[in-house]
Amino acid sequence: MRRVLAEAAVVAMGFSLGGAWTARADNRPTPKGPDEDGTKPALVKIAGEGMMDSHAFQYLTELSDDIGARVTGTPAERKAEDWGVAKMKAIGLENVHKEKYQLWRGWTRGAAQGELLEPIRKPLHVDAMGWTGSTQAGGVEGEVATVNLFDIEEEVKHASRLSGKIVMVVMQGEPKKSGDVLFAIFGDFLKAAGKAGAVAVIGGQGGAKASGMNLTHTGILGFDADFAIPVLSMTAEDQGQLERYVESGKKVRVRFNVQNTFSNGPVEAANVVGEIRGRENPEQVLVVGAHLDSWDLSEGATDNGTGSASVLASAEAIVRSGMRPRRTIRFVLFTGEEEGLDGSFAYMKQHQSEMANHLGDLVLDEGQGPVKEFMLGGRDDLVASFRPFAQSLSSIRNIPVNDKVENGTDTLPFSLAGLPGINMDQDSPDYKYTHHSPADALEAVKPEVLAQNATLMALTAYWIADRPERFASPWPAEKTAKMLRAQQQYEMLKAFGLWKFGDLGEEGKGRNDPPQN
Ligand SMILES: [Zn+2]
């Protein structure tokens, strides 16, 4: 989903326990890695299967070419679910099934045409943002008026000036709030602008200008948020030209015809689930996940075909190794991620009674690059025990470990539950171009990088599920709330209505001290 915009984001990352790990002053035993905890022989077999006989790229090719775009709640996404079920069964996972839930509303993209009428005539390249509305049939003309994203709270108050206008979002000066919070207020602005009679908004992802050459980027504009007003992503080249006209005082008139369709009510979707049951403690569960759904300007190969293929290929590497972990690994292809993590929130709800038996989740959803860090989703207490495992991977790749929270993918619901929502963060410099754009295609993915990521996922999953000592149990809400505040997640969660902790953890609010080792 990844809502934060490079341009608008103010750094909101929490502290991390990176750097050298100092020796412990107390008598706690030094954490054991695979060399000491007995997991190494199994991991060697799994690595061999994953690296030497990977089907990850084949799975990604099938998903990209045979199914293509798969927006949650559409027939194509249903087809992707069936494909996921078939793959999991073919791989040999146990207990393969779908877990249905309801998405608040369905949406289908229709035409989106734009034309510049004044001061010159030319076509404009636009695409609609997800879950936004339509112009009147045949389109609408209007004069362009700008609003400043960095002053969006003020713009909400003065929305009445936008009646009959085409609104173009610009960024002037410095942001006073984090990108996440601006994004939340942008939703309020869209409602106010619609009410005031504005006819369309040129606003891209939370108001940001599109990245890349001649690319648009679609996306949702909140968690489960839909808007009646059409909101358009415009290529940076076209938008830059409009901005120059406005700055020089020229009158700018444009014409848009946007036709999208909402469903009348909720639509059904499902997560796809399959397991490798644990040999000693099958009731204890590690979730390994990625999201199967995508946007629809292309085939969603990097968002999140790579993650979905990694989940399947990691499961396959473990099954073929013949090794069975102590605890259950539950592979989940989430859907509804792009609309607001709906699939993973539904999973938490449906499995609430077994949450105490969960060990966390492990997610890959940062595009096409190699894994660059393990973010342990707020659990600073797990960094020391995880590090020897990460070091055991050093002949494959050097991967640092920290306790940062990733709030833009299916890790967040687990972090909110006090469990490690582990993000396998990736080094994907091109992701800003492929993300939600027409360039999100198989061409952007290197098979050997994908195979390595899938193998790293398999190794991590197996090690967590198989090590003699249980890796993690959920934190109490108070501790979780304190951690989320310390990691600067409070404002964003509050702004989107996701803060469920009341005033818990307030003594940790705004804490910026360096961590105590
Ligand atoms: Zn994604």
Side-chain angles (χ1 to χ4, degrees):
M1 191 189 173
R2 217 174 67 129
R3 303 168 312 282
V4 188
L5 319 153
E7 293 92 333
V10 168
V11 176
M13 279 302 182
F15 64 83
S16 78
L17 296 174
W21 177 50
T22 46
R24 292 177 169 212
D26 57 40
N27 291 326
R28 277 182 294 168
T30 309
K32 286 180 181 158
D35 276 321
E36 299 90 30
D37 66 12
T39 58
K40 185 77 171 279
L43 297 181
V44 169
K45 281 190 186 148
I46 293 163
E49 291 293 338
M51 299 293 279
M52 294 296 291
D53 200 14
S54 177
H55 296 102
F57 198 72
Q58 180 198 318
Y59 297 148
L60 181 62
T61 306
E62 288 177 24
L63 188 58
S64 303
D65 290 349
D66 300 346
I67 295 164
R70 44 202 181 273
V71 173
T72 304
T74 63
E77 183 265 323
R78 185 75 48 85
K79 192 175 163 192
E81 291 170 14
D82 294 339
W83 174 85
V85 166
K87 287 292 144 192
M88 284 187 177
K89 285 185 176 163
I91 284 166
L93 292 184
E94 300 153 85
N95 193 19
V96 176
H97 63 283
K98 288 191 193 185
E99 296 184 355
K100 288 180 186 168
Y101 66 94
Q102 302 249 300
L103 195 76
W104 86 104
R105 209 173 179 193
W107 181 83
T108 311
R109 181 184 303 279
Q113 291 140 354
E115 190 184 2
L116 177 61
L117 305 171
E118 278 181 61
I120 64 164
R121 279 191 92 113
K122 63 166 244 183
L124 294 167
H125 300 94
V126 290
D127 279 304
M129 298 302 291
W131 272 255
T132 67
S134 306
T135 61
Q136 62 194 52
V140 66
E141 279 181 35
E143 195 178 326
V144 170
T146 60
V147 298
N148 185 6
L149 180 67
F150 294 162
D151 226 358
I152 200 71
E153 271 176 307
E154 281 302 303
E155 302 284 10
V156 174
K157 289 180 206 158
H158 304 295
S160 60
R161 75 179 174 94
L162 302 171
S163 174
K165 296 281 199 285
I166 306 255
V167 178
M168 181 165 66
V169 182
V170 295
M171 284 179 273
Q172 286 163 339
E174 293 295 320
K176 294 161 206 94
K177 295 198 166 13
S178 76
D180 274 335
V181 173
L182 286 178
F183 187 86
I185 305 170
F186 186 61
D188 301 337
F189 169 77
L190 293 176
K191 281 192 194 119
K195 227 182 200 171
V199 290
V201 175
I202 305 165
Q205 289 176 310
K209 211 190 271 184
S211 300
M213 289 190 272
N214 203 31
L215 286 177
T216 55
H217 299 259
T218 190
I220 200 82
L221 292 161
F223 285 79
D224 294 0
D226 59 73
F227 299 95
I229 191 167
V231 183
L232 296 160
S233 169
M234 183 178 278
T235 61
E237 293 83 355
D238 283 347
Q239 193 169 339
Q241 189 176 31
L242 299 195
E243 285 181 20
R244 291 192 294 279
Y245 290 142
V246 170
E247 268 165 38
S248 61
K250 289 187 176 121
K251 188 169 158 188
V252 183
R253 280 188 71 78
V254 297
R255 173 179 187 81
F256 289 131
N257 180 20
V258 186
Q259 303 300 328
N260 299 316
T261 320
F262 285 107
S263 68
N264 286 326
V267 288
E268 196 170 81
N271 297 320
V272 179
V273 180
E275 296 179 329
I276 296 175
R277 299 288 293 170
R279 66 177 194 270
E280 280 180 18
N281 292 99
E283 77 289 354
Q284 292 178 19
V285 176
L286 171 71
V287 170
V288 173
H291 68 89
L292 187 60
D293 65 304
S294 78
W295 282 107
D296 55 346
L297 297 182
S298 55
E299 62 211 41
T302 71
D303 188 15
N304 185 10
T306 48
S308 299
S310 295
V311 167
L312 294 172
S314 68
E316 187 169 31
I318 297 172
V319 169
R320 287 191 179 198
S321 75
M323 307 306 296
R324 188 174 282 280
R326 281 189 169 83
R327 304 168 192 84
T328 296
I329 305 176
R330 185 174 289 161
F331 299 89
V332 185
L333 296 172
F334 294 110
T335 55
E337 194 272 355
E338 295 294 359
E339 289 70 38
L341 318 181
D342 290 77
S344 46
F345 276 120
Y347 176 92
M348 301 308 278
K349 225 177 180 174
Q350 287 161 352
H351 293 271
Q352 203 159 20
S353 64
E354 7 156 30
M355 252 334 115
N357 271 326
H358 273 63
L359 309 178
D361 83 335
L362 178 68
V363 168
L364 185 125
D365 182 19
E366 301 283 343
Q368 55 271 58
V371 175
K372 72 167 182 192
E373 63 176 347
F374 288 107
M375 297 164 61
L376 299 192
R379 292 293 299 261
D380 58 349
D381 60 322
L382 304 175
V383 172
S385 46
F386 194 89
R387 191 161 284 143
F389 164 72
Q391 280 162 354
S392 79
L393 303 172
S394 62
S395 58
I396 304 175
R397 182 162 284 276
N398 231 325
I399 310 172
V401 184
N402 61 56
D403 75 330
K404 287 187 283 186
V405 170
E406 173 53 62
N407 65 25
T409 187
D410 298 310
T411 46
L412 180 65
F414 286 78
S415 286
L416 290 175
L419 282 159
I422 304 175
N423 183 40
M424 298 177 76
D425 193 15
Q426 294 164 259
D427 184 10
S428 302
D430 292 343
Y431 194 40
K432 60 179 176 293
Y433 308 127
T434 60
H435 186 250
H436 299 186
S437 83
D440 191 358
L442 197 64
E443 280 64 23
V445 183
K446 293 190 171 78
E448 70 278 14
V449 174
L450 181 63
Q452 189 188 72
N453 287 350
T455 303
L456 290 167
M457 182 179 249
L459 294 171
T460 310
Y462 194 89
W463 177 75
I464 290 175
D466 192 53
R467 70 198 289 270
E469 223 178 302
R470 180 174 170 156
F471 181 64
S473 296
W475 269 357
E478 184 154 23
K479 205 169 173 182
T480 305
K482 202 171 160 180
M483 173 279 289
L484 290 167
R485 286 186 197 266
Q487 292 224 14
Q488 275 84 47
Q489 298 294 320
Y490 171 76
E491 270 205 8
M492 181 289 274
L493 293 168
K494 185 85 181 165
F496 284 109
L498 297 173
W499 183 261
K500 305 288 183 211
F501 300 95
D503 55 8
L504 281 183
E506 265 193 299
E507 69 276 22
K509 196 175 171 180
R511 197 181 75 185
N512 274 321
D513 337 329
Q516 306 293 309
N517 272 332

